[in-house]
Amino acid sequence: MGKMRPGVGIVGLLFVCLFGPCLAGQERAQDRRKWLDPKTETSDDPRRVPMRPEPRGPEGVIVLRGGRIFDGTGAPVREGTLVIRRNKIEKILPAGAADWPKDALVIEVSGKTVLPGLIDAHTHIDYAETETAAFLDISEADAMLRALERARFFLECGITSIRDVGSLHDVPFRLKEWVSQNRAAAPRVFPAGAFITSTGGHGAEGVDPDILVPKSTRLAEGPDQWRQAVREQFNRGADLIKVGSHFSREEVKAAVEEAHALGLKVGCDAETFYIQWAVEAGVDVIEHPLPRTDETIQLMARKGTEAVPTLIPYAYIFDQWGGYFGSTSRRFTFSKEANLEVLRRMKQAGIKMGIGTDLVIDWFRYLPQPYIRELKYFVEAGYTIPEALTAATKTNSEILDMSDKLGTLEPGKLADVAVFEGRPDLNLDDLAKVEVVIRDGYLVVKGGQVVVPRHIPVVPPEPKEKKGKTFQRQ
Ligand SMILES: [Zn+2]
């Protein structure tokens, strides 16, 4: 408990701590935004770093003419035309209108469905594949190339943002930067950096910390080190913090308090009573469908704790290996059916849930099926198809802490758009028929395939006559 405000009675204090913003530290990462004038231009990430006001994205206007628009706001699908100027959605015109500049790039999308760019809320963009040799596993160069290949696959699924909850090296940070300059065919990357856990925790089981710590994991012992580990990820450029059991109550509390003060949300990979401790500590998002009590689910609902249940990776584990064996951080009984039941219970409790695939080893090669399958699990748990698509777009943007800029098709939002053949709002399998993808106003997928524009040669500077000066390497 931090400093108490004077004048708050004990009953009020209890109420506030159980049901409202707790007095210890920043209850929410967004508290930091109060210090920014809403008119201030900021980076398009949860860090909200003030930026010099200037035009962003490509010059010109792109028009997606005459499609079925699913805008992600909950409104029914309607016929319309989407007008994109630079990197923002300028307007959505009624079908038949033609109010755009003559030199606009017009793409016919009649009969096709226009969606907000999909988001994957749980990725590890550069983890090694089953076949990867150990020396390549730790190679930064190979990790970067692995990430680039996967990023392309995601983009060709209509996925324009990924929430990367633990990757090797600086790969997700560098990829994020290159994407922001449109220099890589990839979705926007929102990186957590390294996953924070304690000795023997998930992802670090049986690893001798003195010999080898996987570079995607940051081991930390005690609240001070957990706080320090959060600061390290922030310093690298993290857009969120990812922690995981095992931890003490004090450790997870310290991490949450530090992350929220820095303006970052915290996602937590946990199970059983660790979920309860994480929710009590103020963790924002619980990852995975692992066992938890009804009491914990009710607490999540009351506190507004979100969830990214990721059923699909466990389905692959149970299908391909017959069970989840040999893990000291997964000492409980679960199954595909039990996971679906957790999803149903969370849905019934009204917990906000997003779509994440958690594709590791070579599962990304199955795309887009894992993403579609995850949406189908949501439908099995009681969502309608449009509600599941909303989870993949609007809700995922809320989980990312980016809902004011991403997740729906509305004027003023960033232009992340995906066009599909058919009607994915009626049949999820149509999500496999990607036609066009626009990310940050750039046309990045055409005819279902990543397009890389031809390099435009830069004219060298005019020769300068400078007597007596010779070329010097800087
Ligand atoms: Zn994961």
Side-chain angles (χ1 to χ4, degrees):
M1 177 77 60
K3 275 184 199 157
M4 289 187 192
R5 290 178 196 146
V8 179
I10 189 72
V11 175
L13 182 67
L14 265 176
F15 182 84
V16 164
C17 272
L18 283 173
F19 302 110
C22 199
L23 299 185
Q26 311 281 121
E27 176 67 4
R28 291 280 173 224
Q30 294 90 332
D31 292 354
R32 198 173 179 92
R33 307 256 167 95
K34 290 174 189 150
W35 300 87
L36 275 173
D37 183 325
K39 290 197 285 292
T40 305
E41 286 209 24
T42 63
S43 54
D44 291 326
D45 59 25
R47 298 165 66 88
R48 299 300 155 104
V49 180
M51 305 281 281
R52 186 185 305 282
E54 58 191 9
R56 295 177 207 289
E59 275 182 47
V61 171
I62 299 179
V63 177
L64 298 174
R65 180 156 78 183
R68 302 175 67 250
I69 296 185
F70 177 96
D71 67 13
T73 64
V77 170
R78 64 186 192 279
E79 298 284 323
T81 291
L82 197 75
V83 180
I84 294 165
R85 185 181 291 274
R86 300 205 78 116
N87 71 333
K88 293 209 172 127
I89 296 168
E90 185 174 68
K91 54 194 171 184
I92 302 175
L93 299 171
D99 175 21
W100 55 75
K102 282 196 182 64
D103 60 350
L105 170 65
V106 180
I107 303 171
E108 288 292 342
V109 294
S110 59
K112 296 171 185 169
T113 307
V114 183
L115 259 70
L118 303 174
I119 299 172
D120 191 328
H122 191 121
T123 67
H124 304 281
I125 196 66
D126 67 354
Y127 276 13
E129 290 173 58
T130 326
E131 306 298 319
T132 307
F135 77 97
L136 291 177
D137 189 346
I138 55 166
S139 152
E140 275 196 57
D142 206 68
M144 190 72 234
L145 291 167
R146 294 195 296 261
L148 271 175
E149 184 184 45
R150 285 165 214 191
R152 179 163 53 86
F153 292 7
F154 279 112
L155 212 51
E156 286 178 346
C157 293
I159 294 167
T160 51
S161 290
I162 59 171
R163 175 172 172 267
D164 194 76
V165 290
S167 271
L168 295 147
H169 316 289
D170 283 334
V171 166
F173 301 110
R174 297 311 309 146
L175 188 55
K176 173 189 170 179
E177 175 62 25
W178 276 56
V179 170
S180 75
Q181 298 172 21
N182 194 37
R183 295 170 72 193
R188 295 175 194 272
V189 183
F190 296 94
F195 166 70
I196 302 166
T197 187
S198 60
T199 299
H202 185 60
E205 300 165 26
V207 172
D208 181 340
D210 293 332
I211 297 171
L212 175 73
V213 175
K215 289 218 160 48
S216 56
T217 306
R218 164 66 160 92
L219 292 182
E221 316 301 331
D224 287 349
Q225 277 191 27
W226 275 61
R227 201 178 279 279
Q228 171 65 17
V230 169
R231 289 178 180 161
E232 285 169 13
Q233 307 318 309
F234 176 77
N235 185 45
R236 299 170 78 192
D239 287 320
L240 70 142
I241 295 298
K242 169 86 177 301
V243 301
S245 55
H246 310 122
F247 44 69
S248 70
R249 283 185 164 99
E250 292 71 26
E251 285 168 337
V252 68
K253 196 161 175 282
V256 168
E257 199 177 89
E258 189 63 29
H260 284 180
L262 292 168
L264 303 182
K265 290 175 77 169
V266 180
C268 181
D269 171 332
E271 37 97 355
T272 63
F273 58 87
Y274 286 112
I275 301 178
Q276 176 78 19
W277 290 2
V279 177
E280 286 172 0
V283 157
D284 303 276
V285 188
I286 299 295
E287 318 285 327
H288 307 313
L290 307 180
R292 67 205 67 185
T293 63
D294 286 332
E295 181 201 355
T296 299
I297 288 178
Q298 290 309 321
L299 186 65
M300 289 176 71
R302 242 186 358 255
K303 292 192 70 160
T305 313
E306 300 157 338
V308 182
T310 70
L311 269 64
I312 190 62
Y314 297 99
Y316 290 148
I317 288 168
F318 287 113
D319 288 348
Q320 294 174 18
W321 289 285
Y324 200 119
F325 303 121
S327 163
T328 50
S329 68
R330 298 280 189 253
R331 282 172 293 154
F332 43 79
T333 301
F334 68 139
S335 63
K336 284 198 285 186
E337 295 71 29
N339 292 346
L340 183 58
E341 201 45 41
V342 172
L343 177 57
R344 277 204 190 98
R345 285 159 65 213
M346 288 200 288
K347 160 80 173 123
Q348 278 159 15
I351 290 167
K352 186 185 285 182
M353 290 191 279
I355 302 289
T357 58
D358 195 14
L359 299 176
V360 292
I361 53 173
D362 51 5
W363 296 337
F364 63 94
R365 297 191 187 282
Y366 307 159
L367 280 167
Q369 283 312 316
Y371 195 87
I372 296 172
R373 189 75 198 96
E374 187 69 19
L375 282 155
K376 288 183 175 177
Y377 280 125
F378 273 52
V379 172
E380 282 178 56
Y383 286 67
T384 63
I385 293 177
E387 283 170 353
L389 288 174
T390 302
T393 51
K394 180 169 180 266
T395 308
N396 270 359
S397 76
E398 290 163 1
I399 287 169
L400 273 176
D401 196 9
M402 286 295 293
S403 58
D404 54 337
K405 293 177 185 247
L406 294 175
T408 59
L409 301 178
E410 292 177 282
K413 289 246 175 136
L414 294 170
D416 285 14
V417 187
V419 181
F420 299 85
E421 290 268 12
R423 304 174 168 193
D425 51 301
L426 300 176
N427 176 10
L428 284 171
D429 288 323
D430 283 352
L431 283 181
K433 302 176 195 163
V434 178
E435 184 66 26
V436 167
V437 181
I438 294 169
R439 188 217 58 236
D440 209 30
Y442 290 97
L443 184 61
V444 286
V445 170
K446 232 166 106 180
Q449 199 178 334
V450 160
V451 284
V452 179
R454 197 202 178 285
H455 154 67
I456 298 167
V458 173
V459 180
E462 291 291 313
K464 285 180 187 156
E465 296 294 330
K466 281 191 181 164
K467 282 180 194 146
K469 288 226 168 178
T470 51
F471 173 76
Q472 264 193 330
R473 208 183 161 90
Q474 295 295 310

